[in-house]
Amino acid sequence: QVQLVESGGGLVRAGGSLSLSCAASGPTFSSYYMGWFRRAPGKEREFVAAINRGGDGVSYADSVKDRFTISRDNIKNTVYLQMNSLQSEDTAAYYCAAKTQAPNYGLVSAYDFWGLGTQVTVSS
């Protein structure tokens, strides 16, 4: 089992940047596929980005492609989400998630473990 703790959220102006981190506990971080999701007020949780175990395969939602970058450090047991050119529509609680199986990167139900989230607010 893995425990996930997100950090790095905050308030930023439109056009600005934020970097989120997700620290994982446990000795087997490199065996998990990792994802970032977000939930805006009044909306369902949605996929943002995912990365495979080795860090050489990534996937993004169309809404964040070319603005967000997911990466991981298997030595530090941490996954990152660099967010650039932030827009008001990016305002949401951001969640880190981990799963043991490869398919269905974009499905909430495919992930086994979740963090508690970190709030990102983009002011226009």
Coordinates of all heavy atoms in Angstrom, one line a residue, residues 6-97:
E6 N 0.0 15.4 -1.5 CA 0.3 16.5 -2.4 C 0.7 17.8 -1.7 O 0.3 18.0 -0.6 CB -1.0 16.8 -3.2 CG -1.6 15.6 -4.0 CD -2.6 14.8 -3.2 OE1 -2.7 15.0 -2.0 OE2 -3.5 14.2 -3.9
S7 N 1.4 18.6 -2.5 CA 1.8 19.9 -2.0 C 2.0 20.8 -3.2 O 2.2 20.3 -4.3 CB 3.0 19.8 -1.1 OG 4.1 19.4 -1.8
G8 N 2.1 22.1 -2.9 CA 2.5 23.1 -3.9 C 1.3 23.9 -4.5 O 1.5 24.8 -5.3
G9 N 0.1 23.6 -4.0 CA -1.0 24.4 -4.5 C -1.0 25.8 -4.0 O -0.2 26.1 -3.1
G10 N -1.8 26.7 -4.5 CA -1.9 28.0 -4.0 C -2.7 28.9 -5.0 O -3.4 28.4 -5.8
L11 N -2.5 30.2 -4.8 CA -3.2 31.2 -5.6 C -2.2 31.8 -6.6 O -1.1 32.2 -6.2 CB -3.8 32.3 -4.7 CG -4.4 33.5 -5.3 CD1 -5.7 33.1 -6.1 CD2 -4.8 34.6 -4.3
V12 N -2.6 31.9 -7.8 CA -1.7 32.4 -8.9 C -2.6 33.2 -9.9 O -3.8 32.9 -10.1 CB -1.0 31.3 -9.5 CG1 -1.9 30.3 -10.3 CG2 0.1 31.8 -10.5
R13 N -2.0 34.2 -10.5 CA -2.7 35.0 -11.5 C -2.7 34.2 -12.8 O -1.8 33.4 -13.1 CB -2.0 36.3 -11.7 CG -2.1 37.3 -10.6 CD -1.5 38.6 -10.9 NE -1.6 39.6 -9.8 CZ -2.6 40.4 -9.6 NH1 -3.7 40.3 -10.5 NH2 -2.7 41.2 -8.6
A14 N -3.7 34.5 -13.6 CA -3.8 33.9 -14.9 C -2.5 34.2 -15.7 O -2.0 35.3 -15.7 CB -5.0 34.4 -15.7
G15 N -2.0 33.1 -16.4 CA -0.8 33.2 -17.1 C 0.5 32.8 -16.3 O 1.5 32.6 -16.9
G16 N 0.3 32.6 -15.0 CA 1.4 32.2 -14.1 C 1.6 30.7 -14.1 O 0.9 30.0 -14.9
S17 N 2.5 30.3 -13.2 CA 2.9 28.9 -13.1 C 2.8 28.4 -11.7 O 3.0 29.2 -10.7 CB 4.3 28.7 -13.7 OG 4.4 29.1 -15.0
L18 N 2.6 27.1 -11.5 CA 2.7 26.5 -10.2 C 3.3 25.1 -10.5 O 3.1 24.5 -11.5 CB 1.4 26.3 -9.6 CG 0.8 27.5 -8.8 CD1 -0.6 27.1 -8.3 CD2 1.7 27.8 -7.6
S19 N 4.0 24.6 -9.4 CA 4.6 23.2 -9.5 C 4.0 22.4 -8.4 O 4.2 22.8 -7.2 CB 6.1 23.3 -9.5 OG 6.6 22.0 -9.5
L20 N 3.3 21.4 -8.6 CA 2.8 20.5 -7.6 C 3.7 19.3 -7.4 O 4.3 18.8 -8.4 CB 1.4 20.0 -8.0 CG 0.3 21.0 -8.4 CD1 -1.0 20.3 -8.6 CD2 0.2 22.0 -7.2
S21 N 3.7 18.8 -6.2 CA 4.5 17.6 -5.9 C 3.6 16.6 -5.2 O 2.6 17.0 -4.5 CB 5.7 17.9 -5.0 OG 6.6 18.8 -5.6
C22 N 3.9 15.4 -5.3 CA 3.2 14.3 -4.6 C 4.2 13.3 -4.1 O 4.9 12.6 -4.9 CB 2.2 13.6 -5.6 SG 1.4 12.1 -4.9
A23 N 4.3 13.3 -2.8 CA 5.3 12.4 -2.1 C 4.6 11.1 -1.7 O 3.5 11.2 -1.1 CB 5.9 13.1 -0.9
A24 N 5.3 10.0 -2.1 CA 4.7 8.7 -1.8 C 5.5 8.0 -0.7 O 6.7 8.1 -0.7 CB 4.7 7.9 -3.1
S25 N 4.8 7.4 0.2 CA 5.5 6.5 1.2 C 5.5 5.1 0.7 O 4.7 4.7 -0.1 CB 4.8 6.6 2.5 OG 3.5 6.1 2.4
G26 N 6.4 4.3 1.3 CA 6.5 2.9 0.9 C 7.6 2.6 0.0 O 8.1 3.5 -0.7
P27 N 8.1 1.4 0.0 CA 9.3 1.0 -0.7 C 9.1 0.7 -2.2 O 10.1 0.4 -2.9 CB 9.7 -0.3 0.0 CG 8.5 -0.9 0.5 CD 7.5 0.3 0.8
T28 N 7.9 0.7 -2.7 CA 7.7 0.2 -4.1 C 7.1 1.3 -5.0 O 6.3 1.0 -5.9 CB 6.7 -1.0 -4.0 OG1 5.5 -0.6 -3.4 CG2 7.4 -2.2 -3.3
F29 N 7.5 2.5 -4.8 CA 6.9 3.6 -5.6 C 7.1 3.3 -7.1 O 6.2 3.6 -7.9 CB 7.6 4.9 -5.2 CG 7.2 6.1 -6.0 CD1 5.9 6.6 -5.9 CD2 8.1 6.7 -6.9 CE1 5.5 7.7 -6.7 CE2 7.7 7.7 -7.7 CZ 6.4 8.3 -7.6
S30 N 8.3 2.8 -7.5 CA 8.6 2.6 -8.9 C 7.7 1.6 -9.5 O 7.7 1.4 -10.8 CB 10.0 2.3 -9.1 OG 10.3 1.1 -8.4
S31 N 6.9 0.8 -8.8 CA 6.0 -0.2 -9.3 C 4.7 0.4 -9.7 O 3.8 -0.3 -10.2 CB 5.9 -1.4 -8.4 OG 5.2 -1.0 -7.2
Y32 N 4.4 1.6 -9.3 CA 3.1 2.3 -9.6 C 3.1 3.2 -10.8 O 4.0 3.9 -11.0 CB 2.7 3.1 -8.3 CG 2.4 2.2 -7.1 CD1 3.3 2.1 -6.1 CD2 1.1 1.6 -6.9 CE1 3.1 1.3 -5.0 CE2 0.9 0.9 -5.8 CZ 1.8 0.7 -4.9 OH 1.6 0.0 -3.8
Y33 N 2.0 3.1 -11.5 CA 1.7 4.1 -12.5 C 1.0 5.3 -11.7 O 0.2 5.0 -10.9 CB 0.7 3.5 -13.5 CG 1.3 2.4 -14.3 CD1 1.2 1.1 -13.8 CD2 1.9 2.6 -15.6 CE1 1.7 0.0 -14.5 CE2 2.4 1.5 -16.3 CZ 2.3 0.2 -15.8 OH 2.8 -0.8 -16.5
M34 N 1.4 6.5 -12.1 CA 0.9 7.6 -11.3 C 0.1 8.6 -12.2 O 0.4 8.7 -13.4 CB 2.1 8.4 -10.8 CG 3.0 7.6 -9.9 SD 2.2 7.0 -8.4 CE 1.7 8.5 -7.6
G35 N -0.9 9.2 -11.6 CA -1.7 10.1 -12.3 C -2.0 11.4 -11.5 O -1.9 11.4 -10.2
W36 N -2.4 12.4 -12.2 CA -2.9 13.6 -11.6 C -4.3 13.8 -12.1 O -4.6 13.7 -13.3 CB -2.1 14.9 -11.9 CG -0.8 15.0 -11.2 CD1 0.4 14.6 -11.6 CD2 -0.6 15.5 -9.9 NE1 1.4 14.9 -10.7 CE2 0.8 15.4 -9.6 CE3 -1.5 16.1 -8.9 CZ2 1.3 15.9 -8.4 CZ3 -0.9 16.5 -7.7 CH2 0.5 16.4 -7.5
F37 N -5.2 14.1 -11.2 CA -6.6 14.4 -11.5 C -7.0 15.8 -10.8 O -6.2 16.2 -10.0 CB -7.5 13.3 -11.0 CG -7.4 12.0 -11.8 CD1 -6.4 11.2 -11.6 CD2 -8.4 11.7 -12.6 CE1 -6.3 10.0 -12.3 CE2 -8.3 10.5 -13.4 CZ -7.2 9.7 -13.2
R38 N -8.1 16.3 -11.2 CA -8.6 17.5 -10.6 C -10.1 17.5 -10.5 O -10.7 16.9 -11.3 CB -8.1 18.8 -11.3 CG -8.6 19.0 -12.7 CD -7.9 20.1 -13.4 NE -8.5 20.4 -14.8 CZ -7.9 21.2 -15.6 NH1 -6.9 22.0 -15.3 NH2 -8.5 21.4 -16.8
R39 N -10.6 18.3 -9.6 CA -12.0 18.5 -9.5 C -12.3 19.9 -9.2 O -12.0 20.5 -8.2 CB -12.6 17.6 -8.4 CG -14.1 17.7 -8.2 CD -14.8 16.6 -7.4 NE -14.2 16.5 -6.1 CZ -14.3 15.5 -5.3 NH1 -15.0 14.4 -5.8 NH2 -13.8 15.4 -4.1
A40 N -13.0 20.5 -10.1 CA -13.5 21.9 -10.0 C -14.8 21.9 -9.3 O -15.5 20.9 -9.3 CB -13.6 22.6 -11.4
P41 N -15.1 23.1 -8.7 CA -16.4 23.1 -7.9 C -17.6 22.8 -8.8 O -17.7 23.3 -9.9 CB -16.4 24.6 -7.5 CG -15.0 25.0 -7.4 CD -14.3 24.3 -8.5
G42 N -18.4 21.9 -8.4 CA -19.6 21.5 -9.1 C -19.4 20.6 -10.2 O -20.3 20.3 -11.0
K43 N -18.2 20.1 -10.4 CA -17.8 19.2 -11.5 C -17.3 17.9 -10.9 O -16.9 17.8 -9.8 CB -16.8 19.8 -12.4 CG -17.4 21.0 -13.2 CD -16.4 21.5 -14.2 CE -16.9 22.7 -15.0 NZ -16.0 23.2 -16.0
E44 N -17.2 16.9 -11.8 CA -16.7 15.6 -11.4 C -15.2 15.6 -11.5 O -14.6 16.5 -12.2 CB -17.3 14.5 -12.3 CG -18.7 14.3 -12.1 CD -19.3 13.0 -12.8 OE1 -18.5 12.4 -13.5 OE2 -20.4 12.7 -12.6
R45 N -14.5 14.7 -10.8 CA -13.1 14.6 -10.9 C -12.7 14.2 -12.4 O -13.3 13.3 -13.0 CB -12.6 13.5 -9.9 CG -11.1 13.5 -9.7 CD -10.8 12.6 -8.5 NE -11.4 13.0 -7.3 CZ -11.0 12.6 -6.1 NH1 -10.0 11.8 -6.0 NH2 -11.7 13.0 -5.0
E46 N -11.7 14.9 -12.9 CA -11.3 14.6 -14.3 C -9.8 14.4 -14.4 O -9.0 14.9 -13.6 CB -11.7 15.8 -15.2 CG -10.9 17.1 -14.9 CD -11.2 18.1 -15.9 OE1 -12.1 17.9 -16.8 OE2 -10.6 19.2 -15.9
F47 N -9.4 13.6 -15.4 CA -8.0 13.2 -15.6 C -7.3 14.5 -16.1 O -7.7 15.3 -16.9 CB -8.0 12.2 -16.7 CG -6.6 11.9 -17.3 CD1 -5.7 11.2 -16.5 CD2 -6.3 12.2 -18.5 CE1 -4.4 10.9 -17.0 CE2 -5.0 12.0 -19.1 CZ -4.1 11.3 -18.3
V48 N -6.0 14.6 -15.6 CA -5.1 15.7 -16.0 C -3.9 15.1 -16.8 O -3.6 15.5 -17.9 CB -4.7 16.5 -14.8 CG1 -3.6 17.5 -15.3 CG2 -5.9 17.2 -14.2
A49 N -3.2 14.2 -16.1 CA -2.0 13.6 -16.7 C -1.6 12.3 -16.0 O -2.0 12.1 -14.9 CB -0.8 14.6 -16.5
A50 N -0.8 11.5 -16.7 CA -0.4 10.2 -16.1 C 1.0 9.9 -16.6 O 1.4 10.4 -17.7 CB -1.3 9.1 -16.5
I51 N 1.7 9.1 -15.9 CA 3.1 8.7 -16.2 C 3.3 7.3 -15.9 O 2.8 6.8 -14.9 CB 4.1 9.7 -15.5 CG1 5.5 9.5 -16.0 CG2 4.0 9.5 -14.0 CD1 6.5 10.6 -15.6
N52 N 4.1 6.6 -16.7 CA 4.3 5.2 -16.4 C 5.4 5.0 -15.4 O 5.9 5.9 -14.8 CB 4.6 4.4 -17.7 CG 6.0 4.8 -18.4 OD1 6.7 5.7 -17.8 ND2 6.3 4.2 -19.5
R53 N 5.7 3.7 -15.1 CA 6.6 3.4 -14.0 C 8.0 3.9 -14.1 O 8.6 4.4 -13.2 CB 6.5 1.9 -13.7 CG 5.2 1.4 -13.2 CD 5.2 -0.1 -13.0 NE 5.3 -0.8 -14.3 CZ 5.2 -2.1 -14.4 NH1 5.0 -2.8 -13.3 NH2 5.3 -2.7 -15.5
G54 N 8.5 3.9 -15.4 CA 9.8 4.3 -15.6 C 10.0 5.8 -15.9 O 11.1 6.3 -15.9
G55 N 8.8 6.5 -16.1 CA 8.9 7.9 -16.4 C 9.1 8.3 -17.8 O 9.2 9.5 -18.2
D56 N 9.1 7.3 -18.7 CA 9.3 7.6 -20.1 C 8.1 7.5 -21.0 O 8.2 7.6 -22.2 CB 10.4 6.6 -20.7 CG 10.0 5.2 -20.5 OD1 9.0 4.9 -19.9 OD2 10.7 4.3 -21.1
G57 N 6.9 7.4 -20.4 CA 5.7 7.4 -21.1 C 4.7 8.3 -20.3 O 4.5 8.1 -19.1
V58 N 4.1 9.2 -21.0 CA 3.2 10.2 -20.4 C 1.9 10.3 -21.2 O 2.0 10.1 -22.4 CB 3.8 11.6 -20.1 CG1 5.0 11.4 -19.2 CG2 4.3 12.2 -21.5
S59 N 0.9 10.8 -20.6 CA -0.4 11.1 -21.3 C -1.0 12.3 -20.6 O -0.9 12.5 -19.4 CB -1.3 9.9 -21.1 OG -2.5 10.1 -21.7
Y60 N -1.7 13.1 -21.4 CA -2.3 14.4 -21.0 C -3.7 14.5 -21.5 O -4.0 14.1 -22.6 CB -1.5 15.6 -21.4 CG -0.1 15.6 -20.9 CD1 1.0 15.2 -21.7 CD2 0.2 16.1 -19.6 CE1 2.3 15.2 -21.2 CE2 1.5 16.2 -19.2 CZ 2.5 15.8 -19.9 OH 3.8 15.8 -19.4
A61 N -4.5 15.2 -20.7 CA -5.8 15.6 -21.1 C -5.6 16.7 -22.2 O -4.6 17.5 -22.1 CB -6.6 16.2 -20.0
D62 N -6.5 16.8 -23.2 CA -6.3 17.8 -24.2 C -6.3 19.2 -23.7 O -5.6 20.1 -24.2 CB -7.5 17.6 -25.2 CG -7.3 16.4 -26.1 OD1 -6.2 15.8 -26.2 OD2 -8.3 16.0 -26.7
S63 N -7.0 19.4 -22.6 CA -7.1 20.8 -22.0 C -5.8 21.3 -21.4 O -5.7 22.5 -21.2 CB -8.3 20.8 -21.0 OG -8.0 19.9 -19.9
V64 N -4.9 20.4 -21.1 CA -3.7 20.8 -20.5 C -2.4 20.5 -21.3 O -1.3 20.9 -20.9 CB -3.5 20.2 -19.1 CG1 -4.7 20.4 -18.2 CG2 -3.2 18.7 -19.2
K65 N -2.6 19.8 -22.4 CA -1.5 19.5 -23.3 C -0.8 20.7 -23.7 O -1.4 21.7 -24.0 CB -2.0 18.7 -24.5 CG -1.0 17.9 -25.2 CD -1.6 17.0 -26.2 CE -2.5 15.9 -25.6 NZ -3.1 15.0 -26.6
D66 N 0.6 20.7 -23.7 CA 1.4 21.8 -24.1 C 1.5 22.9 -23.0 O 2.3 23.8 -23.1 CB 1.0 22.4 -25.4 CG 1.1 21.5 -26.5 OD1 1.9 20.6 -26.6 OD2 0.2 21.6 -27.4
R67 N 0.8 22.7 -21.9 CA 0.9 23.7 -20.8 C 1.4 23.0 -19.5 O 2.1 23.6 -18.7 CB -0.4 24.3 -20.5 CG -1.0 25.1 -21.6 CD -2.2 25.9 -21.2 NE -3.3 25.1 -20.7 CZ -3.9 25.2 -19.5 NH1 -3.5 26.0 -18.7 NH2 -4.9 24.4 -19.2
F68 N 1.0 21.7 -19.3 CA 1.4 21.0 -18.1 C 2.4 19.9 -18.4 O 2.4 19.3 -19.5 CB 0.2 20.3 -17.5 CG -0.8 21.3 -16.8 CD1 -0.8 22.6 -17.0 CD2 -1.9 20.7 -16.1 CE1 -1.7 23.5 -16.4 CE2 -2.8 21.6 -15.5 CZ -2.7 22.9 -15.7
T69 N 3.3 19.6 -17.5 CA 4.3 18.5 -17.6 C 4.3 17.7 -16.4 O 4.5 18.2 -15.3 CB 5.6 19.1 -17.9 OG1 5.6 19.9 -19.1 CG2 6.7 18.0 -18.1
I70 N 4.1 16.4 -16.6 CA 4.2 15.4 -15.5 C 5.6 14.8 -15.5 O 6.1 14.5 -16.6 CB 3.1 14.4 -15.5 CG1 3.1 13.5 -14.3 CG2 3.1 13.5 -16.8 CD1 1.9 12.6 -14.2
S71 N 6.1 14.5 -14.4 CA 7.4 13.8 -14.3 C 7.5 13.1 -12.9 O 6.6 13.3 -12.1 CB 8.6 14.8 -14.4 OG 8.6 15.8 -13.4
R72 N 8.5 12.3 -12.8 CA 8.6 11.5 -11.5 C 10.1 11.3 -11.2 O 10.9 11.3 -12.1 CB 7.9 10.2 -11.6 CG 8.5 9.2 -12.5 CD 7.5 8.0 -12.7 NE 7.4 7.2 -11.4 CZ 6.4 6.3 -11.2 NH1 5.5 6.1 -12.1 NH2 6.4 5.7 -10.0
D73 N 10.4 11.1 -9.9 CA 11.7 10.8 -9.5 C 11.5 9.6 -8.6 O 11.1 9.7 -7.5 CB 12.3 12.0 -8.7 CG 13.7 11.8 -8.3 OD1 14.1 10.6 -8.1 OD2 14.5 12.8 -8.2
N74 N 12.0 8.4 -9.1 CA 11.8 7.2 -8.4 C 12.8 7.0 -7.2 O 12.6 6.1 -6.4 CB 11.9 6.0 -9.3 CG 10.6 5.9 -10.2 OD1 9.6 6.4 -9.9 ND2 10.7 5.1 -11.3
I75 N 13.8 7.9 -7.2 CA 14.7 7.9 -6.0 C 14.0 8.6 -4.8 O 14.1 8.2 -3.7 CB 16.0 8.5 -6.4 CG1 16.7 7.7 -7.5 CG2 17.0 8.5 -5.1 CD1 16.9 6.2 -7.2
K76 N 13.4 9.8 -5.2 CA 12.8 10.6 -4.2 C 11.3 10.2 -3.9 O 10.6 10.8 -3.1 CB 12.8 12.1 -4.6 CG 14.2 12.6 -4.7 CD 14.2 14.1 -5.1 CE 15.6 14.7 -5.1 NZ 15.6 16.1 -5.5
N77 N 10.8 9.2 -4.6 CA 9.4 8.7 -4.4 C 8.5 9.9 -4.6 O 7.5 10.0 -3.8 CB 9.2 8.1 -3.0 CG 9.8 6.7 -3.0 OD1 10.5 6.2 -3.9 ND2 9.5 6.0 -1.9
T78 N 8.6 10.6 -5.7 CA 7.8 11.8 -5.9 C 7.4 11.9 -7.3 O 8.2 11.7 -8.2 CB 8.6 13.1 -5.4 OG1 9.0 13.0 -4.1 CG2 7.7 14.3 -5.6
V79 N 6.2 12.4 -7.5 CA 5.7 12.7 -8.9 C 5.4 14.2 -8.9 O 4.9 14.7 -7.9 CB 4.5 11.8 -9.3 CG1 3.3 12.0 -8.4 CG2 4.1 12.1 -10.7
Y80 N 5.6 14.8 -10.0 CA 5.5 16.3 -10.1 C 4.5 16.6 -11.2 O 4.3 15.9 -12.2 CB 6.8 16.9 -10.4 CG 7.9 16.6 -9.5 CD1 8.8 15.5 -9.8 CD2 8.1 17.3 -8.3 CE1 9.8 15.2 -8.9 CE2 9.1 17.0 -7.4 CZ 10.0 15.9 -7.7 OH 11.0 15.6 -6.8
L81 N 3.9 17.8 -11.1 CA 3.1 18.4 -12.1 C 3.5 19.9 -12.3 O 3.1 20.7 -11.4 CB 1.6 18.2 -11.9 CG 0.7 18.7 -13.0 CD1 0.8 17.7 -14.2 CD2 -0.8 18.7 -12.5
Q82 N 4.2 20.2 -13.3 CA 4.5 21.6 -13.6 C 3.4 22.2 -14.5 O 3.1 21.6 -15.6 CB 5.8 21.6 -14.4 CG 6.2 23.0 -14.8 CD 6.5 23.9 -13.6 OE1 7.1 23.5 -12.6 NE2 6.1 25.2 -13.7
M83 N 2.8 23.2 -14.0 CA 1.7 23.9 -14.7 C 2.1 25.3 -15.1 O 2.4 26.1 -14.2 CB 0.5 23.9 -13.7 CG 0.1 22.5 -13.1 SD -1.4 22.6 -12.2 CE -0.9 23.6 -10.8
N84 N 2.0 25.5 -16.4 CA 2.4 26.8 -17.0 C 1.1 27.4 -17.7 O 0.2 26.7 -18.0 CB 3.5 26.7 -17.9 CG 4.8 26.2 -17.3 OD1 5.1 26.4 -16.1 ND2 5.6 25.4 -18.1
S85 N 1.2 28.7 -17.9 CA 0.1 29.4 -18.6 C -1.2 29.0 -18.0 O -2.2 28.7 -18.7 CB 0.1 29.0 -20.1 OG 1.4 29.3 -20.7
L86 N -1.3 29.1 -16.7 CA -2.5 28.8 -16.0 C -3.7 29.7 -16.4 O -3.5 30.9 -16.6 CB -2.3 28.8 -14.5 CG -1.5 27.6 -14.0 CD1 -0.9 27.8 -12.6 CD2 -2.4 26.3 -14.0
Q87 N -4.9 29.1 -16.4 CA -6.1 29.8 -16.8 C -7.1 29.6 -15.6 O -7.0 28.7 -14.8 CB -6.6 29.2 -18.1 CG -5.6 29.2 -19.2 CD -6.1 28.3 -20.4 OE1 -7.1 27.7 -20.3 NE2 -5.3 28.3 -21.4
S88 N -8.1 30.5 -15.6 CA -9.1 30.4 -14.6 C -9.8 29.0 -14.6 O -10.2 28.5 -13.5 CB -10.1 31.5 -14.7 OG -10.7 31.5 -16.0
E89 N -9.9 28.4 -15.8 CA -10.5 27.1 -15.9 C -9.7 26.0 -15.2 O -10.2 24.9 -15.0 CB -10.7 26.7 -17.3 CG -11.5 27.8 -18.2 CD -10.6 28.8 -18.8 OE1 -10.0 28.5 -19.8 OE2 -10.5 29.9 -18.1
D90 N -8.4 26.3 -14.9 CA -7.6 25.3 -14.2 C -7.8 25.3 -12.7 O -7.3 24.5 -12.0 CB -6.1 25.6 -14.5 CG -5.8 25.4 -15.9 OD1 -6.2 24.5 -16.5 OD2 -5.1 26.3 -16.4
T91 N -8.6 26.2 -12.2 CA -9.0 26.3 -10.8 C -9.7 25.0 -10.3 O -10.7 24.6 -10.9 CB -9.8 27.5 -10.4 OG1 -9.1 28.7 -10.7 CG2 -10.3 27.5 -9.0
A92 N -9.1 24.3 -9.4 CA -9.6 23.0 -8.9 C -8.8 22.5 -7.8 O -7.7 23.0 -7.5 CB -9.6 22.0 -10.1
A93 N -9.3 21.5 -7.1 CA -8.5 20.7 -6.2 C -7.8 19.6 -7.1 O -8.4 18.9 -7.9 CB -9.3 20.0 -5.2
Y94 N -6.5 19.5 -6.9 CA -5.7 18.6 -7.7 C -5.3 17.4 -6.8 O -4.8 17.6 -5.7 CB -4.4 19.3 -8.2 CG -4.7 20.1 -9.4 CD1 -5.4 21.3 -9.2 CD2 -4.3 19.8 -10.7 CE1 -5.7 22.1 -10.3 CE2 -4.7 20.5 -11.8 CZ -5.3 21.7 -11.6 OH -5.7 22.5 -12.7
Y95 N -5.5 16.2 -7.4 CA -5.2 15.0 -6.6 C -4.2 14.1 -7.3 O -4.2 14.0 -8.6 CB -6.5 14.2 -6.5 CG -7.6 14.9 -5.8 CD1 -8.5 15.7 -6.5 CD2 -7.8 14.7 -4.4 CE1 -9.5 16.3 -5.8 CE2 -8.8 15.3 -3.7 CZ -9.6 16.2 -4.4 OH -10.7 16.8 -3.8
C96 N -3.3 13.5 -6.6 CA -2.4 12.5 -7.0 C -3.0 11.1 -6.8 O -3.7 10.9 -5.8 CB -1.1 12.7 -6.2 SG 0.2 11.5 -6.4
A97 N -2.7 10.2 -7.7 CA -3.2 8.9 -7.6 C -2.2 7.8 -8.1 O -1.4 8.2 -9.0 CB -4.5 8.8 -8.4

